[in-house]
Amino acid sequence: AQSVTQLGSHVSVSEGALVLLRCNYSSSVPPYLFWYVQYPNQGLQLLLKYTSAATLVKGINGFEAEFKKSETSFHLTKPSAHMSDAAEYFCALTSGTYKYIFGTGTRLKVLA
Amino acid sequence: DVKVTQSSRYLVKRTGEKVFLECVQDMDHENMFWYRQDPGLGLRLIYFSYDVKMKEKGDIPEGYSVSREKKERFSLILESASTNQTSMYLCASSLPGRHSPLHFGNGTRLTVT
């Protein structure tokens, strides 16, 4: 069975500090992995996706994620947090079917 | 840019009412989805459609049905709304490729009283 675990339902960082949001996955087949962001009262927007072409994936708004097969992880990072990064972030996995498995989300708070 | 439009941002309905949630996408995507989002539970798939008139049950289809008469439109129907169906409903669409991302609408927050 496939699963996605996001460690930490709430993360707080200071403006300008490193953002690290954790995602671990379980899959018996090579996964395709995604990070989405959700701003208040909006739908989810794609930040980046991993499709096996490169293990380090760059996305929008300065975010990037590294696929580590040995650690079954796909953590999301940003070198310097901005107030506008405050949102909820979702990690998701698919094995190539219509079934997308979402994590339970991490709410990022950025402190001035 | 793909646009997925959900007809209502907020809805308040009474228990037992029949509720229709409408979703339209403008990029000719084959796949369309209805998810339910609840705090601490992430997104759960209600129904999926891969073509006109074709549908597959997701993880939580009970109490819901769907309709896809045209490629661009996917409707979610609550046959008899109940208070435990109070939630945020998200529609999404995608191309059929193996790693095609989902494109989401802004959601409909439904309250059943």
Side-chain angles (χ1 to χ4, degrees):
Chain A
Q2 296 178 309
S3 65
V4 173
T5 302
Q6 291 184 240
L7 297 173
S9 58
H10 292 81
V11 169
S12 294
V13 299
S14 298
E15 193 173 19
L18 172 73
V19 176
L20 170 61
L21 304 182
R22 299 178 188 274
C23 174
N24 287 89
Y25 70 91
S26 173
S27 178
S28 56
V29 298
Y32 300 101
L33 293 158
F34 306 82
W35 274 100
Y36 289 87
V37 60
Q38 185 179 33
Y39 298 103
N41 297 317
Q42 293 187 25
L44 280 68
Q45 301 173 32
L46 180 69
L47 271 179
L48 50 82
K49 66 178 183 180
Y50 166 75
T51 59
S52 77
T55 56
L56 183 62
V57 182
K58 294 188 184 297
I60 61 171
N61 301 340
F63 284 94
E64 62 182 38
E66 187 171 9
F67 175 73
K68 292 187 176 180
K69 185 178 178 181
S70 60
E71 299 177 9
T72 60
S73 70
F74 189 57
H75 301 332
L76 182 70
T77 60
K78 182 174 180 178
S80 176
H82 191 271
M83 298 298 289
S84 61
D85 295 326
E88 191 158 22
Y89 293 79
F90 291 90
C91 182
L93 170 157
T94 182
S95 59
T97 68
Y98 69 86
K99 194 95 166 151
Y100 293 77
I101 309 297
F102 285 85
T104 52
T106 298
R107 190 170 296 278
L108 176 67
K109 187 174 182 179
V110 182
L111 306 171
Chain B
D1 259 3
V2 175
K3 188 153 187 180
V4 179
T5 303
Q6 294 183 232
S7 55
S8 304
R9 292 300 304 275
Y10 300 94
L11 272 180
V12 180
K13 296 293 182 180
R14 293 192 181 274
T15 301
E17 278 193 79
K18 190 169 186 175
V19 181
F20 293 85
L21 303 184
E22 306 287 348
C23 175
V24 177
Q25 51 96 1
D26 66 358
M27 283 300 290
D28 205 34
H29 283 175
E30 282 80 359
N31 297 339
M32 295 190 76
F33 306 77
W34 275 107
Y35 286 92
R36 173 176 169 158
Q37 182 181 16
D38 298 289
L41 296 179
L43 276 70
R44 294 179 290 168
L45 180 65
I46 305 172
Y47 268 98
F48 158 70
S49 171
Y50 55 90
D51 202 350
V52 174
K53 296 190 187 295
M54 307 305 290
K55 62 186 179 186
E56 295 276 351
K57 291 181 180 179
D59 299 315
I60 52 164
E62 297 78 18
Y64 304 94
S65 62
V66 290
S67 172
R68 192 161 180 206
E69 297 297 318
K70 293 185 177 182
K71 190 175 186 180
E72 67 270 19
R73 187 179 296 272
F74 192 36
S75 302
L76 180 69
I77 303 153
L78 285 66
E79 298 290 343
S80 177
S82 64
T83 55
N84 62 12
Q85 293 178 308
T86 292
S87 187
M88 170 72 95
Y89 290 87
L90 293 168
C91 176
S93 72
S94 76
L95 291 168
R98 298 186 70 185
H99 44 77
S100 295
L102 298 172
H103 299 266
F104 286 87
N106 280 336
T108 296
R109 189 167 294 279
L110 173 66
T111 302
V112 182
T113 61

